[in-house]
Amino acid sequence: MSLEASPELVIFYTLALALLFGKFFEEIVSRTKYPPVLGDLIAGLLLGSSVLGIYIVNDVVHAVSWLGVALLLFYAGLNTSYREFLRLLPIAGLLTLGEALAAFLMGFLVGWILGYNMLQSFFIGAVLEATSVSLTVRTLMDLGKLDSIEGYTIMEIAVLDDLASLITISIGASIVVLGSLELPSIIVTLFEAIGVWFAVLLILHRFSDYIIRLASRMHVEESMVSILIAVFASTAYLVSRVGVSPLIGAYASGLALSEVRGLRENRETIRKLAIVFSTVFFVTTAAELDLREALKPELLGFYILVVVAAFIGKLLGAGLTSYLLGFPPRSSLRVAVGLFPRCEFAIIAAYTAVSYGVIGVELYLVALVIVLATNLVTPPLLRIVYSGGVEYESVRLRIKGVVLKKH
């Protein structure tokens, strides 16, 4: 099929390819107990220009795929407790600041040392910053350690780490639009992103009960789901009008609505929609990658250094920050290892940079390698750092009066 085909035919064609091949490879990957999203990326590489060249990517397909990732972030917000988020904000915020900043700086420095300009190095840092703890959660469940101090600390950091990654990506996109990487513009963009995010969060949460009450009084089918998606879409649109990434609005709207009554069944519907359409996103992003261009021998040093930096950044950032706050050494190491995995946000950051023409496809490929490498080594490393060591019942932090206890 050609790019000139009618938009509806292109959509039918790409949906069929993305979902059939994506789910097939997801099934294969999931049987190895690794994140199914790797299957989507494999499907995209196979269907795209790197191998078969039969997957169409145009503006229409881009629009559908970005709807998928926005829905995924909306669901992530719905699945996070608003009250718990605010309660844990001070401690988790300090931990997240340390680990996210260290990981970002490691990527930025590697890029700068290898001769990339500041904007390119910024996006390399953004790829390394993001954490995905779904595999960590699964491993800790298998070990019976999810309720340990380190286990729930990792989960707390993961919530804020998602937000930090979104803000970093949003800042990067804004800098591309502004055309310069200057400290004043970065600071302004940072405060704009954080300010808009919290404004959306607080205002929507304040009126969330009224919104849901209105939807529940309607007598038409799927009124609740329709209103939820309408709120999500409206928020994403409005924040984009003030220069902030719609992904920021998607996550904030989900978190703001996360504690309304009667949400469980409707949240499950949103989850199903997010899984379906996010499959299209990840297949599409990989389909655009030309491996022949990315697999140049001269780029081998770049790939090795960035992958090594991905581990060192979290080890230094999460491990050292938690130790300085009062975690015992072994406990700090467990937290750091639990934050090794990267997944969705690393891919999103790389795709944003490549799609804007900031950097070549080598960044996307290195993001795929980082996803694979960090997810491969984390389960055995977690087993090692938990084996034969003390299981802490409580940890007294150096912040006055703060004691963490095992759940």
Side-chain angles (χ1 to χ4, degrees):
M1 181 176 288
S2 68
L3 288 171
E4 289 74 26
S6 62
E8 60 270 20
L9 289 181
V10 171
I11 287 297
F12 293 149
Y13 176 76
T14 53
L15 277 177
L17 285 178
L19 296 177
L20 286 173
F21 281 84
K23 292 303 173 185
F24 174 76
F25 283 102
E26 277 187 24
E27 176 68 18
I28 294 175
V29 171
S30 65
R31 289 175 180 269
T32 65
K33 298 183 179 180
Y34 289 102
V37 70
L38 289 174
D40 298 333
L41 300 175
I42 293 170
L45 290 174
L46 177 64
L47 297 171
S49 57
S50 295
V51 185
L52 298 177
I54 61 174
Y55 194 89
I56 295 176
V57 181
N58 59 16
D59 290 342
V60 177
V61 176
H62 272 300
V64 173
S65 66
W66 275 100
L67 171 63
V69 74
L71 278 171
L72 189 67
L73 294 174
F74 179 53
Y75 172 72
L78 287 174
N79 208 41
T80 303
S81 168
Y82 175 86
R83 224 171 310 174
E84 189 74 356
F85 172 83
L86 292 182
R87 186 182 74 83
L88 299 171
L89 190 58
I91 301 302
L94 288 173
L95 288 166
T96 304
L97 180 63
E99 61 90 21
L101 186 60
F104 172 84
L105 288 176
M106 283 297 301
F108 185 91
L109 287 174
V110 166
W112 186 250
I113 290 169
L114 292 176
Y116 288 91
N117 64 38
M118 291 187 70
L119 185 55
Q120 293 169 329
S121 300
F122 182 96
F123 276 103
I124 295 171
V127 169
L128 266 61
E129 177 186 339
T131 294
S132 177
V133 296
S134 56
L135 185 66
T136 294
V137 171
R138 172 62 185 267
T139 305
L140 290 176
M141 288 175 64
D142 292 342
L143 294 173
K145 306 295 185 182
L146 189 59
D147 62 346
S148 65
I149 291 173
E150 300 91 352
Y152 71 74
T153 298
I154 290 168
M155 292 301 299
E156 292 165 9
I157 295 172
V159 173
L160 290 178
D161 196 81
D162 287 352
L163 174 58
S165 298
L166 278 174
I167 290 174
T168 302
I169 294 168
S170 179
I171 290 172
S174 299
I175 291 170
V176 172
V177 174
L178 292 171
S180 63
L181 182 62
E182 298 175 353
L183 186 58
S185 65
I186 292 175
I187 293 173
V188 169
T189 306
L190 174 63
F191 279 99
E192 281 181 352
I194 295 175
V196 169
W197 195 86
F198 273 103
V200 168
L201 181 66
L202 297 174
I203 293 171
L204 261 185
H205 184 264
R206 175 67 180 81
F207 291 99
S208 59
D209 286 336
Y210 298 104
I211 295 170
I212 300 305
R213 196 177 303 146
L214 172 64
S216 63
R217 289 177 179 174
M218 299 174 72
H219 299 289
V220 293
E221 291 187 8
E222 302 298 344
S223 60
M224 185 73 76
V225 171
S226 299
I227 296 299
L228 286 172
I229 292 178
V231 171
F232 140 75
S234 301
T235 305
Y237 172 76
L238 290 173
V239 300
S240 67
R241 297 293 292 176
V242 295
V244 176
S245 169
L247 300 182
I248 293 280
Y251 191 89
S253 59
L255 183 56
L257 298 170
S258 63
E259 292 187 343
V260 295
R261 295 179 180 178
L263 188 64
R264 180 178 298 178
E265 182 180 340
N266 298 287
R267 183 168 51 208
E268 180 62 19
T269 302
I270 300 294
R271 185 186 73 85
K272 292 175 181 177
L273 289 171
I275 288 175
V276 170
F277 284 100
S278 64
T279 297
V280 180
F281 172 79
F282 290 113
V283 171
T284 300
T285 57
E288 291 187 279
L289 177 66
D290 187 349
L291 282 178
R292 287 164 294 190
E293 184 180 344
L295 292 174
K296 297 177 180 177
E298 60 266 28
L299 293 173
L300 181 60
F302 169 72
Y303 296 140
I304 293 173
L305 283 176
V306 175
V307 171
V308 171
F311 289 101
I312 294 176
K314 294 295 181 182
L315 189 62
L316 289 178
L320 184 59
T321 304
S322 55
Y323 176 74
L324 291 175
L325 285 176
F327 282 75
R330 179 177 284 269
S331 185
S332 299
L333 181 60
R334 291 169 181 170
V335 172
V337 171
L339 292 169
F340 277 167
R342 304 332 195 266
C343 203
E344 295 88 353
F345 283 106
I347 300 299
I348 294 168
Y351 179 70
T352 301
V354 174
S355 63
Y356 274 121
V358 172
I359 196 170
V361 292
E362 68 268 19
L363 182 61
Y364 197 97
L365 181 60
V366 82
L368 300 186
V369 174
I370 288 171
V371 170
L372 184 61
T374 56
N375 281 277
L376 282 172
V377 305
T378 298
L381 286 179
L382 277 175
R383 288 181 173 88
I384 291 171
V385 296
Y386 268 100
S387 63
V390 176
E391 180 158 353
Y392 301 96
E393 297 296 325
S394 65
V395 170
R396 183 176 295 277
L397 300 184
R398 292 189 172 92
I399 300 173
K400 186 176 180 180
V402 176
V403 178
L404 301 180
K405 296 183 178 180
K406 181 179 176 181
H407 285 179

